[in-house]
Amino acid sequence: MDTRTAGTARPARRTVRPSRPARTVVRWAVRHGIPAVLLERGARSGDLVGRLLRDRSVRDEPFALYEQLRARGPVSPGSIGLVTPSHRIASEVLRSDRFGVGWDPSSAPRLIRWALAFGDDPDVSGVAEPPSMLVVDPPDHTRFRRLVSRAFTPRATAGFEPVVQRTADALLDALELRSGPVDLVDTFAAQLPVLVIADLLGVPTDRREDFLRWGAAAAATLDPGLPFRRYLAAERALRAMNAFLREHFARLRREPGDDLVSRLVGLPEEEALTERELHATVMLLLGAGFETTVNLLGNGVVLLDAHPEQWDVLRANPSGWDGAVEEILRHDSPVQITGRTATAQGTLAGRPVRPGTRVTVLLGAANRDPEVFDDPARFDVRRPNAREHLAFSAGIHYCLGAGLARLEGIVGLRSLSERFPGLRVSGPPVRRDLQTLRGFERLPVTLR
Ligand code: HEM
């Protein structure tokens, strides 16, 4: 309809809808631009968390910096709240009901509240934003987790073993046909987890290259202070992933299968998830299902290649793989960083903590805490207490897929070692340009 009326000099007011680019800029500014400025300023004035998150060389090898932080005590202040490298304090924070993952925007300045509302767009919502269970507190967290946890019980996980083994074998069969150096991330470490989780969720495995591409771009949204260009790439990936999920849910509503996602879309009305909750839940399962385990497999091969005598021990005694996988998770944790926000007044290592205080929990540093692990920088597949690591976090957000990840690690690394006993890293591995996740993007190996 034409809103101009004949005979009136002034045009009628048009409703101005925010354009997509404006919303994207605002979304980036509030989620990444402002944290980037704070971290950058902190890094320049000697704040170690700022350096950890902004300086790529530190990020690639953060362990010396973790020790500098440890020397300052179990908890120290940084540019975005407090930080802990301590296993004891990390465990306390992760298990405490005085800390949550949520953040109450009503306490934020008005401009930030406006920016959050203006920039909100469900089509680009990812795993680090509510209502993803990773970042919501009870009671919503309890509701989401209960709906999916049945698929990840120890019994259900043990039932996946044939699928994991079959998938690993098929990938190794394909590798048999290759001659010369291959990229082990591209051909094996990334493929195994994505194929297994796609099978479990009933999503078509022939879309796996799309998932891997989208996952790689979207994984960056876990990092604070992302540059605008990378944020744009992540948003494009999230938009494509949400569009895929929308079609997938519609298909499963018409023709449900015998999988977890069919069950989620078909829940009775009183339990049903909203469309946004459904997207967040399935995207988290899919993304967490492959973006982390790829790092466990890649880090494992690089560590064992650097310690060939330990690899020989495992070849001679394959029952040692359980312990080896725990030690890989401890020594080079695929998820290095998480965080919590205080919900109540209290203290932490004797320091007063006010509600709203952010605590950065350095899982990778806690897993090298000498109070818990003897000579923690040493890689030792026979370390008796490696399993005490916090690589899967702790408390109510303890990794739902830990059992599946362990199974993929054990079956994947054991099968690879048995099939290619002469496997060696043949060139410099390339790290992923990520802060929260630690792993390799490329890992050149010779198989024989
Ligand atoms: C080596 C592989 C993996 C590692 C190191 C890992 C690590 C983690 C960590 C550290 C958290 C909690 C973060 C926090 O407390 O803030 C987490 C949560 C989660 N992980 Fe994993 N994960 C892995 C594999 C998997 C797999 C295969 C799945 C399969 C679906 C999965 C699904 C989840 C889910 C759904 C959550 C959220 C749980 C909640 O918030 O209650 N993860 N993971």
Side-chain angles (χ1 to χ4, degrees), residues 94 101 132-136 141 145 148 152 193 197 200-201 281 284-290 292-297 329 333-335 337-340 363 390-402 404-406 408:
L94 295 171
V101 289
S132 154
M133 88 174 89
L134 199 56
V135 286
V136 297
H141 175 262
R145 187 150 171 143
V148 292
F152 295 93
I197 197 71
L200 196 151
L201 295 179
T281 304
L284 175 64
L285 291 173
L286 189 59
F290 65 81
T292 45
T293 316
V294 53
N295 305 327
L296 163 62
L297 295 169
L329 287 163
S333 309
V335 180
I337 306 171
T338 188
R340 295 292 185 265
L363 299 173
L390 296 174
F392 291 123
S393 189
I396 61 169
H397 293 275
Y398 180 80
C399 175
L400 186 69
L404 179 60
R406 286 183 160 118
E408 290 175 347

Side-chain angles (χ1 to χ4, degrees), residues 18 25 27 36 49 70 88 201 222 234 289 302 320 340 344 346 420 431-432:
V25 172
R27 216 166 22 245
V49 177
R70 207 185 307 284
R88 180 172 50 85
L201 295 179
L222 294 171
V302 171
R340 295 292 185 265
F420 299 110
R431 279 212 175 278
R432 302 176 76 182

Side-chain angles (χ1 to χ4, degrees), residues 20 26 74 159 162 200 219 233 276 309 316 350 368 423:
R20 196 191 267 183
V26 169
L200 196 151
R276 195 164 182 167
E309 71 296 344
R368 292 189 179 204
L423 185 143

Side-chain angles (χ1 to χ4, degrees), residues 28-44 47 49-51 53-54 79-80 223-228 435:
W28 168 79
V30 74
R31 287 175 173 76
H32 294 279
I34 296 171
V37 171
L38 293 177
L39 290 167
E40 200 68 54
R41 215 164 42 201
R44 276 201 302 271
D47 168 43
V49 177
R51 279 193 56 215
L53 297 177
R54 301 304 295 172
S79 40
I80 44 170
D223 294 341
L226 212 57
F228 186 62
Q435 299 157 351

